[in-house]
């Protein structure tokens, strides 16, 4: 009888210990740390950077631009010159002006200024694009991208290395990594991205898990209305960030370390 009692007691302790000691996802504290909030803000700014760079950069890959001609009826104004010394590279100027009077077709009602320039090899389908204070609304983009491009009808796919800095309300946000982005007039798709994002508060790793859909024309900002990404780092827990049609209004869904998603208000970062 004593032997059976000992066996039952040991089994009960094992069960209780397993229940009490198990670190399940449902036990994760949903309170974001300051570092995690900073990482989420940097994630949104990275999406803005990639979207702006794609929207402006696609103009550099339009192979129908006449050579040595200024096209002034468009926004931005485009200038193309063939550089014979660079093995047939097309040198392209992309000018959004300086007074905020340029509202590109993809920009909705948001005026832009600043410029970009590019060296384009049409035969190889490659472009090296530099952004110089490309400003739309309250955010300004600098940086460069080394890209391969492909057009299918009115849709351009830009793939390669992105090294971007976004100035938002006086703070600098960095985006550095490889990714594939697709441009069409109705919106921009960040099909993939993996790299480093940063803010004045720190740096983190960002990976796009499900393609991010952005439409400034439809929603008036550069917050995705669909898709999912993961942001991680040494000072934060792994955060899965899910976007929906409510996200452009300031509501995103976040999962910490695999726990259930919960809503986070990001209105202050828009």
């Amino acid at each position: 009888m004593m032997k059976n009692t000992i066996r039952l007691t040991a089994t009960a302790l094992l069960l209780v210990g397993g229940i009490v000691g198990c670190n399940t996802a449902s036990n994760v504290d949903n309170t974001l740390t300051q570092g995690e909030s900073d990482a989420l803000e940097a994630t949104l700014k990275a999406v803005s950077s990639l979207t702006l760079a794609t929207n402006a950069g696609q103009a550099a890959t339009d192979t129908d631009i006449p050579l040595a001609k200024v096209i002034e009826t468009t926004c931005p104004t485009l200038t193309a010159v063939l550089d014979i010394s660079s093995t047939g590279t097309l040198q392209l100027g992309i000018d959004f002006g300086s007074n905020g009077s340029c509202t590109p077709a993809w920009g909705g009602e948001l005026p832009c200024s600043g410029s970009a320039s590019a060296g384009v090899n049409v035969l190889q389908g490659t472009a090296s694009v530099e952004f110089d204070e490309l400003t739309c609304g309250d955010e300004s983009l600098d940086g460069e991208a080394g890209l391969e491009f492909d057009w299918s009808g009115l849709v351009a796919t830009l793939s390669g290395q992105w090294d971007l800095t976004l100035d938002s309300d006086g703070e600098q946000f960095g985006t550095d990594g490889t990714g594939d982005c697709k441009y069409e007039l109705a919106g921009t798709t960040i099909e993939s991205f993996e790299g480093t994002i940063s803010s004045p508060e720190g740096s983190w790793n960002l990976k796009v898990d499900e393609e991010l859909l952005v439409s400034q024309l439809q929603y008036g900002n550069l917050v995705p209305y669909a898709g999912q990404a993961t942001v991680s780092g040494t000072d934060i827990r792994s955060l899965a960030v899910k976007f929906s049609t409510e996200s452009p209004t300031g509501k995103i869904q976040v999962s910490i370390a695999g726990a259930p998603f919960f809503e986070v208000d990001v209105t202050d970062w828009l």
Side-chain angles (χ1 to χ4, degrees):
M1 184 66 180
M2 179 64 71
K3 187 175 181 179
N4 290 337
T5 302
I6 291 173
R7 183 181 296 123
L8 286 171
T9 303
T11 303
L13 286 172
L14 267 175
L15 288 172
V16 173
I19 294 171
V20 173
C22 182
N23 183 22
T24 62
S26 60
N27 292 332
V28 174
D29 182 3
N30 283 346
T31 303
L32 293 171
T33 66
Q34 184 59 54
E36 289 164 351
S37 293
D38 295 335
L40 288 178
E41 182 180 13
T43 297
L44 293 179
K45 300 306 181 183
V47 173
S48 293
S49 297
L50 289 168
T51 303
L52 278 175
T54 299
N55 290 349
Q58 58 82 26
T61 67
D62 187 346
T63 56
D64 292 331
I65 299 170
L67 298 181
K69 180 179 180 180
V70 178
I71 306 174
E72 297 180 341
T73 58
T74 64
C75 169
T77 298
L78 307 176
T79 306
V81 178
L82 183 63
D83 186 352
I84 300 176
S85 64
S86 300
T87 321
T89 299
L90 187 66
Q91 300 296 332
L92 187 68
I94 309 168
D95 186 9
F96 289 83
S98 58
N99 58 6
S101 61
C102 172
T103 303
W106 43 261
E109 298 180 357
L110 193 64
C112 298
S113 61
S115 64
S117 59
V120 182
N121 189 310
V122 177
L123 295 179
Q124 296 181 2
T126 60
S128 177
V129 188
E130 295 187 4
F131 307 95
D132 183 13
E133 294 186 1
L134 172 56
T135 303
C136 295
D138 297 327
E139 297 182 328
S140 181
L141 183 72
D142 288 277
E144 58 188 12
L147 305 170
E148 296 181 355
F149 65 88
D150 179 67
W151 278 86
S152 177
L154 299 177
V155 179
T157 300
L158 309 180
S159 305
Q161 182 73 30
W162 309 81
D163 185 3
L164 309 169
T165 300
L166 187 75
D167 185 298
S168 180
D169 293 328
E171 290 190 310
Q172 305 289 314
F173 295 86
T175 303
D176 186 1
T178 58
D180 303 324
C181 300
K182 183 171 66 179
Y183 165 86
E184 53 187 318
L185 186 59
T188 304
T189 302
I190 302 174
E191 296 181 318
S192 68
F193 178 82
E194 188 166 3
T196 303
I197 60 175
S198 63
S199 77
E201 285 71 31
S203 63
W204 306 272
N205 302 313
L206 178 65
K207 183 177 184 296
V208 171
D209 302 311
E210 299 174 11
E211 59 185 24
L212 305 178
L213 307 182
V214 182
S215 178
Q216 191 167 328
L217 276 176
Q218 183 172 355
Y219 293 101
N221 59 33
L222 301 180
V223 178
Y225 63 89
Q228 186 169 317
T230 299
V231 58
S232 59
T234 57
D235 61 338
I236 64 171
R237 296 165 290 180
S238 179
L239 307 176
V241 188
K242 184 186 295 185
F243 299 95
S244 70
T245 53
E246 291 187 337
S247 298
T249 65
K251 298 177 181 179
I252 64 174
Q253 297 289 320
V254 175
S255 166
I256 300 176
F261 282 90
F262 62 97
E263 186 176 286
V264 176
D265 190 331
V266 296
T267 307
D268 289 344
W269 302 334
L270 302 185

